[in-house]
Amino acid sequence: MLSAIVHEVAHGWVALRCGDATAKEAGRLTLDPRAHLDGFGSVVLPLVMALLGGPVFAFARPVPYDPRRLRHPRRDELLVALAGPASNVLQALVGALVLRAAWDPLLGAVVSGAAPFEVVSWVVTILSTYVSVNLVLCFFNLIPLPPLDGSKVVLYFLTGDARRAYYQIQQYAMPILVVALYIVPQLLHVDPIGRYLDATAGSLYGLLLGGL
């Protein structure tokens, strides 16, 4: 949820830089969880998904913004959309740098007996999970289906009939996600979103933390 909150604040901060102060006026440019947590998306949804045994994810309340207040609406909407995933990449980089910098001292502490193995293992697990979660959040949000950020990226490149056709597809976005996340893997034993995340988030995770 920390990563998701930073993701949402990044959207609002870039919108502010582009002329739209809606998020600031709503009190959403803060890391205080109380301003961002969503009863369904932050609590109920991840619990239900865990009980179903499939992929588990959660989301914070989307930060509001008004495209009419953006100085260059077409360009700035794309920048606002990309700000969230970009913030997750930055968080993953920070987590990876911290873990790499701490790796040798942590191992040395275990060998010397200065720190219990369980404590060091706990620290490594938290940092590596932080990297992994942020990479998954980045690339999952780039899937081109609303309300995910990837839908705004796709719209930037569409005009005319193609744009109208995409708007028609948007109404089926959530059913498509549910089918791809749960039904296709169960019935066809093929996990398209899992493969996509392995190829993107998984590969980048390997580049950042490979060798540790």
Side-chain angles (χ1 to χ4, degrees), residues 96-175:
L97 288 172
V98 170
L99 182 53
R100 284 193 168 277
W103 185 256
D104 288 338
L106 287 172
L107 290 181
V110 172
V111 172
S112 67
F117 172 79
E118 291 78 8
V119 173
V120 171
S121 177
W122 181 75
V123 172
V124 170
T125 298
I126 287 177
L127 288 172
S128 59
T129 300
Y130 183 67
V131 174
S132 175
V133 164
N134 273 288
L135 292 176
V136 169
L137 277 174
C138 168
F139 288 102
F140 183 81
N141 272 284
L142 288 176
I143 293 174
L145 289 171
L148 303 176
D149 300 323
S151 62
K152 299 291 193 305
V153 176
V154 169
L155 282 173
Y156 177 80
F157 297 100
L158 297 181
T159 58
D161 291 341
R163 193 178 183 92
R164 285 188 289 273
Y166 187 73
Y167 279 130
Q168 293 178 343
I169 295 173
Q170 285 187 343
Q171 62 185 313
Y172 305 108
M174 288 309 295

Side-chain angles (χ1 to χ4, degrees), residues 56-74:
V56 177
F57 63 89
F59 59 85
R61 285 192 297 123
V63 165
Y65 84 101
D66 186 348
R68 295 170 299 181
R69 300 174 71 178
L70 298 172
R71 284 188 287 269
H72 306 284
R74 182 176 171 81

Side-chain angles (χ1 to χ4, degrees), residues 3-123:
S3 301
I5 288 170
V6 173
H7 177 109
E8 293 302 331
V9 171
H11 284 311
W13 183 81
V14 170
L16 179 63
R17 300 287 295 178
C18 292
D20 174 28
T22 303
K24 182 179 180 181
E25 293 164 357
R28 299 294 302 281
L29 295 188
T30 174
L31 296 179
D32 185 342
R34 294 173 296 180
H36 301 283
L37 295 183
D38 177 86
F40 175 75
S42 306
V43 181
V44 176
L45 179 63
L47 287 176
V48 170
M49 296 180 82
L51 291 173
L52 290 174
V56 177
F57 63 89
F59 59 85
R61 285 192 297 123
V63 165
Y65 84 101
D66 186 348
R68 295 170 299 181
R69 300 174 71 178
L70 298 172
R71 284 188 287 269
H72 306 284
R74 182 176 171 81
R75 181 204 69 184
D76 293 347
E77 273 198 281
L78 176 63
L79 295 177
V80 171
L82 290 174
S87 76
N88 293 125
V89 172
L90 289 175
Q91 290 181 79
L93 288 173
V94 169
L97 288 172
V98 170
L99 182 53
R100 284 193 168 277
W103 185 256
D104 288 338
L106 287 172
L107 290 181
V110 172
V111 172
S112 67
F117 172 79
E118 291 78 8
V119 173
V120 171
S121 177
W122 181 75
V123 172

